[in-house]
Amino acid sequence: MKRNVMNSSAATIHRILGEAIASIDSLKAEACAQQVYQLYVSLSAADRLTFLRVLASDYGVDTNGIVQLSQLISTTQDRSSANFVKLQERLRLALLPRYQQLFIQIGRLKGGVKLLVDIRAEVLQMLTTNGFDAEHHPQLRSLYGSLKDLLSMWLSVSSLKIEKVLRSSSPELLHKISEYEAVHPIKSEVDLRWRLGSYRRCYVFTHMCLPDEPIVVLHTALTNEISSNIQAIVEPVQQNGHKSESENPSNINTAIFYSITSTQKGLQGIEHGNNIIKQAVSALRTEFPHMHQFASLSPIPGFKDWLIDLMNKQKHMEEVAEHPSTVLFSKTELSQFSQCIPKSMSQTIFEDLRKCLLDNSWLMLKGIPELLKEPLIRLCVKYLYIEKRRGYPINPVANFHLKNGAVLWRLNWLGDNSRRGLNASCGIMANYCYFVNPIEILEENSKKYMQDKKIEVSEEILHYVEQIRAIDVEYEEQKQTFCTL
């Protein structure tokens, strides 16, 4: 008899989950897993939260069983006996949450792996919503980790397939390529065709368990130099003086990875992005044997927020008649700014500059973009190279590329002059270079970064580091002056 799985009451959720867990080792296991599947997809958003709370809190590890087995093991005298080994095995199984076997059964169903990916995304939302579900947080965290272990095993890099997306690819795949693009949104079909045309490559990771569902999407531009401006790449215009329909391999020696998107929130923390870059490099070197430069053109999310926060702190410190928390700009730079920024009700040029940066009006002020170029790039180097959390850069994009073995090579002024780029990083973009001759360089750089927290940078970046140190000396001198007064 069919049960009414549309009944989303807590009692129904308890009953169906209880029956599924109880029958996990029986012939009815697949049918019960299918019933749980149908139940979950039929639930409202609110009832799905109830489902996950019940699953996490009532069907985790058997705590009482673990305590009893631990006591038996601790009192067993003969640690080499067959009975002791059996107790160890029973304890190992008891430490596994009961819902894990249910997940395994669901994963065997058609669409089951995708459902588990979506469930993990839902749990992540519950865990990261501020102040939400504090009571169930430990159990939900354990459920989240259990799903990560299973999905990491099922969707391992060795089981993923890299595919080149073409204009002739399936409509379902093309639609999702457009839908998932998170770095530089695809605005139209013309836009999509441009990104799949000549002088462009798009690669995706797919898996047999997730048909027509790209797991990672990598967009690449084929050029003859390391690009410095994203609009020249994503806007349908001529590339390198050649129309998009007339690709000439002799004009191509560089690959620019300008967008990489992990499409599934439920796979967060399961690294796939670094591997698609390595496989894309291999595919491109096969297609273009003379290609010798591989680099990203990357956004710098968070830089502007970080900068405004520092400026707010400095303003506050000066208002309370203390020494400034940092020196962001030299006296010479502030004097130059004062000649171009219209005076307002603010008492200082520093405050006028802060307001201009906040609303992006600095870009329209004659002379200011040129004056701000060096100071803002210098501060961006400080943000990417010097500012750390637990020894690593606070910027997630930097951390991603450096972990892959790339080199922080160059910062590009007004590399993204869109509203999004200005709001994220005052328009600055970064090139991270992947030096692959020999390929072992990537592994060595990655090892130094992960083990020793060493960041490989170019001479150009080191030049700005020296400027930062000079500004810091000025700060210390200014601090001493404040302390003396």
Side-chain angles (χ1 to χ4, degrees):
M1 183 178 66
K2 291 184 179 180
R3 292 184 173 88
N4 180 14
V5 297
M6 297 303 290
N7 183 344
S8 59
S9 68
T12 300
I13 292 172
H14 272 281
R15 175 172 57 79
I16 292 179
L17 281 176
E19 291 176 359
I21 296 293
S23 64
I24 206 68
D25 294 322
S26 73
L27 296 176
K28 298 195 308 180
E30 182 178 346
C32 288
Q34 184 69 52
Q35 192 172 39
V36 172
Y37 181 113
Q38 294 299 329
L39 170 67
Y40 187 81
V41 298
S42 70
L43 294 174
S44 66
D47 286 333
R48 285 185 180 185
L49 302 184
T50 300
F51 176 100
L52 294 172
R53 291 190 196 100
V54 170
L55 189 65
S57 59
D58 293 359
Y59 299 104
V61 297
D62 180 4
T63 306
N64 292 331
I66 291 173
V67 171
Q68 293 173 6
L69 286 168
S70 298
Q71 291 173 343
L72 285 172
I73 288 174
S74 66
T75 57
T76 300
Q77 298 298 319
D78 187 357
R79 300 297 172 92
S80 61
S81 66
N83 181 56
F84 186 75
V85 174
K86 288 180 180 179
L87 286 173
Q88 286 181 309
E89 178 63 14
R90 287 174 60 191
L91 179 59
R92 183 186 69 81
L93 294 175
L95 287 168
L96 296 175
R98 285 169 288 178
Y99 48 66
Q100 183 160 310
Q101 284 301 315
L102 175 60
F103 290 155
I104 291 173
Q105 287 291 344
I106 291 175
R108 293 170 180 166
L109 303 174
K110 182 178 180 180
V113 173
K114 182 62 169 71
L115 180 75
L116 295 177
V117 171
D118 292 342
I119 286 176
R120 188 167 183 261
E122 193 90 43
V123 176
L124 176 63
Q125 178 66 28
M126 296 172 72
L127 290 171
T128 55
T129 300
N130 192 27
F132 183 68
D133 249 314
E135 178 185 352
H136 299 90
H137 192 279
Q139 295 95 334
L140 287 167
R141 175 64 62 184
S142 179
L143 188 150
Y144 183 75
S146 183
L147 281 169
K148 179 182 179 180
D149 292 341
L150 288 174
L151 293 170
S152 296
M153 178 175 62
W154 292 338
L155 304 177
S156 63
V157 172
S158 61
S159 67
L160 296 176
K161 179 182 178 182
I162 189 170
E163 295 182 21
K164 183 164 71 171
V165 182
L166 305 172
R167 290 174 175 176
S168 58
S169 296
S170 72
E172 293 81 8
L173 179 59
L174 294 179
H175 174 73
K176 287 177 179 177
I177 293 295
S178 296
E179 184 180 60
Y180 285 134
E181 175 57 28
V183 184
H184 305 290
I186 296 174
K187 303 171 185 176
S188 65
E189 185 176 342
V190 172
D191 198 358
L192 175 61
R193 287 180 60 82
W194 166 255
R195 300 195 198 189
L196 299 178
S198 299
Y199 294 102
R200 299 291 180 271
R201 295 294 184 271
C202 177
Y203 300 98
V204 296
F205 262 160
T206 60
H207 192 277
M208 60 183 299
C209 292
L210 300 169
D212 278 326
E213 190 69 52
I215 296 173
V216 184
V217 182
L218 174 66
H219 286 280
T220 307
L222 308 180
T223 72
N224 56 15
E225 63 181 358
I226 297 179
S227 303
S228 61
N229 182 273
I230 192 61
Q231 275 71 43
I233 289 178
V234 299
E235 293 181 359
V237 294
Q238 288 189 348
Q239 173 69 12
N240 296 335
H242 300 272
K243 292 183 179 180
S244 61
E245 297 302 325
S246 57
E247 182 175 294
N248 184 349
S250 65
N251 293 320
I252 299 170
N253 60 31
T254 304
I256 301 296
F257 306 120
Y258 67 90
S259 173
I260 181 166
T261 301
S262 295
T263 66
Q264 309 295 314
K265 291 183 179 180
L267 295 180
Q268 182 171 309
I270 301 174
E271 292 291 346
H272 291 136
N274 57 340
N275 288 288
I276 197 172
I277 287 181
K278 292 175 183 176
Q279 293 198 33
V281 167
S282 178
L284 288 165
R285 293 179 85 182
T286 300
E287 186 177 0
F288 302 98
H290 59 287
M291 184 174 284
H292 63 275
Q293 293 189 124
F294 302 86
S296 77
L297 182 58
S298 301
I300 311 173
F303 168 63
K304 181 176 173 180
D305 289 342
W306 172 84
L307 176 59
I308 294 299
D309 184 57
L310 283 188
M311 295 183 80
N312 289 337
K313 289 178 180 177
Q314 180 164 332
K315 178 175 178 289
H316 172 73
M317 295 297 286
E318 292 178 350
E319 284 176 348
V320 296
E322 297 181 25
H323 65 79
S325 59
T326 182
V327 173
L328 301 176
F329 304 98
S330 67
K331 292 180 179 179
T332 300
E333 288 167 347
L334 289 174
S335 176
Q336 291 173 333
F337 299 154
S338 67
Q339 298 175 28
C340 299
I341 297 178
K343 292 180 172 56
S344 67
M345 297 298 292
S346 304
Q347 294 183 351
T348 67
I349 183 60
F350 184 84
E351 176 61 8
D352 287 336
L353 176 61
R354 188 185 72 87
K355 291 178 179 178
C356 288
L357 288 171
L358 269 173
D359 63 13
N360 296 325
S361 60
W362 61 272
L363 195 60
M364 307 303 295
L365 297 175
K366 185 177 180 180
I368 281 296
E370 293 78 8
L371 289 175
L372 278 175
K373 178 180 178 180
E374 288 295 303
L376 288 189
I377 288 181
R378 180 185 70 236
L379 287 165
C380 196
V381 168
K382 182 181 180 72
Y383 171 69
L384 293 174
Y385 183 72
I386 295 177
E387 288 295 301
K388 303 287 176 55
R389 182 184 296 116
R390 298 174 183 171
Y392 296 106
I394 60 177
N395 182 264
V397 179
N399 187 58
F400 170 81
H401 287 291
L402 295 170
K403 188 163 59 174
N404 293 345
V407 173
L408 176 55
W409 189 69
R410 184 177 69 192
L411 296 185
N412 302 295
W413 180 242
L414 295 182
D416 183 0
N417 57 21
S418 68
R419 179 183 295 274
R420 184 171 182 162
L422 292 170
N423 288 337
S425 59
C426 300
I428 302 173
M429 297 195 78
N431 292 126
Y432 297 90
C433 281
Y434 286 78
F435 295 107
V436 295
N437 290 316
I439 194 68
E440 289 76 18
I441 292 178
L442 291 181
E443 298 300 327
E444 184 64 25
N445 288 348
S446 177
K447 182 179 178 181
K448 289 178 182 177
Y449 179 71
M450 296 302 295
Q451 294 184 359
D452 305 325
K453 301 179 174 62
K454 177 175 173 53
I455 300 174
E456 295 293 333
V457 298
S458 67
E459 289 296 324
E460 181 175 326
I461 298 299
L462 288 176
H463 168 72
Y464 284 104
V465 173
E466 290 301 316
Q467 288 188 19
I468 293 167
R469 289 171 179 160
I471 293 290
D472 287 343
V473 169
E474 181 177 333
Y475 160 62
E476 289 299 329
E477 292 174 351
Q478 189 171 348
K479 181 179 176 181
Q480 290 298 323
T481 301
F482 271 92
C483 292
T484 304
L485 294 176

